[in-house]
Amino acid sequence: MKKWMKVAIPVVAVVVLVAWYAFRPERLVVNHRVDEAMPTATGASNVQSLESGQFYGIVHPTEGTATIYQMGDGSRVLRLTRFSTSNGPDVHVYMVAADDAKDAATVEKAGFVDLGVIKGNIGDQNYTLASDLDLAKYRAVSIWCKRFSVNFGAAACDRRRHRHSSESKLVGSRIASAICVVKKLVTAFWKACSVLSVE
């Protein structure tokens, strides 16, 4: 074997190994699924949904809902539901100090709080929020690849939109209940009419 080949082979092997570690290409086709239940705490019946937003893709297709809950004990949790994004190396969940995290520049310029490595690229998962995190400032969630400074996807959490959505659901529920009551009254009326007509 020629001398240059003896040197080249180990060098190529090292380059390939480093490239594999940096890019982790197998993660593009291997999904990591999680299915965390809603966390429980003292006073679980008093869990309150504070705000929520829908994920959208930026660099990679990203879907699902980000919702911030206040637990019965006063702690707060970011919960991702029906969540899906691409797998990748060193992907984290950020709370971003902006109304939205539509690009990498916004995330880097606005500032963020790192909630940790993503637990899975598919499935429901929970992230504890610090008690002093200002939700009036940190309004967006970013799925961020730290290794390459890439924003996979984001969700803009909106308290007002969430409140209106909750109010709409409540109104819809009350209307449905009212319709049900009316149907029962009409049925009872026709039954009474039938009895009277027979007599």
Side-chain angles (χ1 to χ4, degrees):
M1 182 181 292
K2 295 182 179 181
K3 185 179 290 186
W4 69 268
M5 288 189 66
K6 291 181 179 179
V7 175
I9 291 175
V11 169
V12 170
V14 169
V15 169
V16 170
L17 184 61
V18 170
W20 170 82
Y21 178 77
F23 291 95
R24 299 301 299 271
E26 80 283 1
R27 291 190 174 181
L28 295 176
V29 294
V30 177
N31 292 319
H32 182 196
R33 297 176 182 271
V34 293
D35 186 18
E36 289 191 331
M38 182 74 178
T40 57
T42 304
S45 60
N46 296 324
V47 173
Q48 181 183 4
S49 176
L50 300 179
E51 53 191 68
S52 66
Q54 296 298 313
F55 277 104
Y56 59 90
I58 299 175
V59 172
H60 292 289
T62 304
E63 300 176 341
T65 304
T67 307
I68 295 176
Y69 291 95
Q70 181 167 303
M71 311 305 291
D73 61 0
S75 63
R76 295 174 302 177
V77 172
L78 169 67
R79 179 165 172 78
L80 312 186
T81 52
R82 298 185 300 278
F83 178 73
S84 175
T85 190
S86 296
N87 206 344
D90 204 18
V91 180
H92 288 234
V93 179
Y94 285 177
M95 289 295 300
V96 183
D99 291 335
D100 202 351
K102 58 191 176 201
D103 51 43
T106 299
V107 176
E108 294 173 330
K109 182 178 180 181
F112 54 85
V113 172
D114 189 344
L115 302 182
V117 177
I118 196 168
K119 297 175 180 179
N121 67 301
I122 295 177
D124 298 351
Q125 47 205 287
N126 309 304
Y127 299 87
T128 301
L129 301 179
S131 59
D132 60 350
L133 183 70
D134 184 359
L135 295 181
K137 178 180 179 182
Y138 293 89
R139 304 302 304 272
V141 182
S142 168
I143 307 303
W144 184 266
C145 177
K146 288 184 72 173
R147 187 164 297 171
F148 299 108
S149 297
V150 172
N151 196 0
F152 278 24
C157 294
D158 190 330
R159 186 183 299 263
R160 291 170 300 175
R161 182 171 62 233
H162 179 68
R163 184 177 70 247
H164 294 332
S165 175
S166 299
E167 289 173 351
S168 297
K169 289 179 181 178
L170 180 60
V171 170
S173 176
R174 287 177 176 173
I175 291 173
S177 297
I179 291 173
C180 184
V181 170
V182 170
K183 284 182 177 179
K184 288 181 179 179
L185 289 173
V186 170
T187 300
F189 173 77
W190 283 113
K191 283 183 179 180
C193 289
S194 299
V195 170
L196 290 174
S197 64
V198 170
E199 292 175 353

